[in-house]
Amino acid sequence: MLFEAISVIPEVYGSYVDASILGRARKKGVFDFEAYDLRTWTHDRHRTVDDAPFGGGQGMLMKPGPIFEAVQAVGAMHEEKPHTIFFSPCGKRFDQAVAKRLSHEKRILFVCGRYEGMDERCYSLADEVLSIGDYVLTGGELASLVVMDAVVRLLPGALGDEMSAQDESFSDGLLEYAQYTRPAEFEGMGVPAVLLSGDHGKVAAWRRQSSLERTAIWRPDLLSGVELTPSEECIVHAVQEREGQDGCTA
Ligand code: SAM
């Protein structure tokens, strides 16, 4: 898969994209990445990409001219048309389901906003506008890295263990179960005995219960999207009673 980003600070990507799991996956050819400087598509001496908003107000907005030119020029660099993603706190919320859907694209182009955002007409170029959460960042670069990171780890060959992405939080609609590693005793805290038992059936059952309990405590909103057996519903009820949560979502 090819990711591309149009940004006024394209230099911020290198150290993240070339490090650790992403770096190895890129070297292996699982994905590639290219960042472009939006100012390449300006035509004045100051390489201006922003201007004051009509109607007044705080800050500056990104002008449509350079963004339209950049998206069209970068789009034409390869035969495959890119799936073009803009970012805004007003966008659709990015989550694991969106990451999964995007992992089937061949080419994704991120267009990163800065300042107070963009002239509204720019969004007509977007296949979709994403938000990574209900807070305001200074720019779309971090958002594009978040999306790229989440998508890359779903691509075949990106992770050492092909199973590890399947078992994680949100993969079955629940949060991931609690995990432990050596030592079995640390600072007076032990590890659940079942995990040391070598009984795979019991370990799987414990993990399912742990997933349910953690989801019921931290993200009860997720439970409405998960089909539970009657005994799993009991686990959820017990947690909710213990935690003093009213209402039952299971
Ligand atoms: N004035 C805009 C508003 O109130 O909705 C915020 C603009 S923000 C300061 C500048 C840029 O950062 C946005 O154009 C977008 O690209 C990016 N950005 C900020 N928060 C974001 C979020 N939660 N998710 C995705 N991108 C975000």
Side-chain angles (χ1 to χ4, degrees):
M1 179 185 287
L2 173 63
F3 294 93
E4 292 154 297
I6 295 170
S7 162
V8 289
I9 44 169
E11 66 276 13
V12 299
Y13 287 97
S15 61
Y16 195 84
V17 171
D18 288 325
S20 188
I21 292 176
L22 258 64
R24 283 195 294 276
R26 190 179 183 195
K27 267 202 191 113
K28 272 168 55 183
V30 171
F31 80 102
D32 202 1
F33 174 75
E34 199 68 57
Y36 303 95
D37 187 346
L38 178 65
R39 293 186 202 280
T40 307
W41 291 279
T42 56
H43 304 287
D44 64 311
R45 203 158 52 90
H46 300 293
R47 309 181 81 201
T48 310
V49 294
D50 59 337
D51 208 337
F54 282 127
Q58 293 291 311
M60 301 290 271
L61 286 179
M62 297 183 85
K63 292 155 64 73
I67 289 180
F68 268 71
E69 271 194 47
V71 169
Q72 279 153 10
V74 173
M77 286 178 186
H78 299 276
E79 210 172 302
E80 182 80 34
K81 188 182 168 306
H83 181 77
T84 302
I85 298 175
F86 280 56
F87 295 102
S88 166
C90 311
K92 177 191 157 82
R93 177 71 71 85
F94 178 68
D95 62 15
Q96 192 66 13
V98 176
K100 213 166 191 177
R101 168 168 60 75
L102 293 177
S103 71
H104 300 296
E105 295 290 342
K106 290 194 171 64
R107 185 182 176 202
I108 292 180
L109 172 60
F110 300 120
V111 185
C112 303
R114 281 257 141 195
Y115 318 115
E116 279 312 309
M118 292 181 181
D119 180 297
E120 192 65 22
R121 292 166 289 188
C122 296
Y123 297 109
S124 65
L125 296 166
D127 289 308
E128 61 186 316
V129 182
L130 293 180
S131 163
I132 62 162
D134 290 346
Y135 39 78
V136 181
L137 303 166
T138 54
E141 290 77 13
L142 274 177
S144 65
L145 280 170
V146 166
V147 172
M148 184 163 49
D149 188 299
V151 172
V152 165
R153 61 201 308 290
L154 296 175
L155 300 178
L159 301 179
D161 174 358
E162 289 309 313
M163 293 303 286
S164 43
Q166 288 174 26
D167 237 13
E168 287 180 319
S169 294
F170 313 112
S171 54
D172 61 357
L174 300 174
L175 300 183
E176 193 184 50
Y177 44 81
Q179 301 215 70
Y180 301 85
T181 185
R182 273 178 280 270
E185 189 73 26
F186 181 72
E187 302 269 340
M189 294 179 282
V191 168
V194 63
L195 299 180
L196 309 173
S197 69
D199 184 329
H200 297 303
K202 282 188 179 153
V203 169
W206 183 89
R207 285 180 168 167
R208 177 74 180 173
Q209 174 157 349
S210 172
S211 271
L212 286 165
E213 288 178 350
R214 287 151 69 91
T215 308
I217 293 168
W218 291 322
R219 291 294 306 277
D221 57 299
L222 294 176
L223 291 168
S224 57
V226 181
E227 221 170 285
L228 301 178
T229 65
S231 66
E232 290 177 339
E233 284 188 20
C234 285
I235 294 172
V236 168
H237 282 225
V239 171
Q240 285 173 334
E241 261 182 38
R242 198 177 69 217
E243 297 290 314
Q245 292 169 7
D246 48 356
C248 175
T249 44

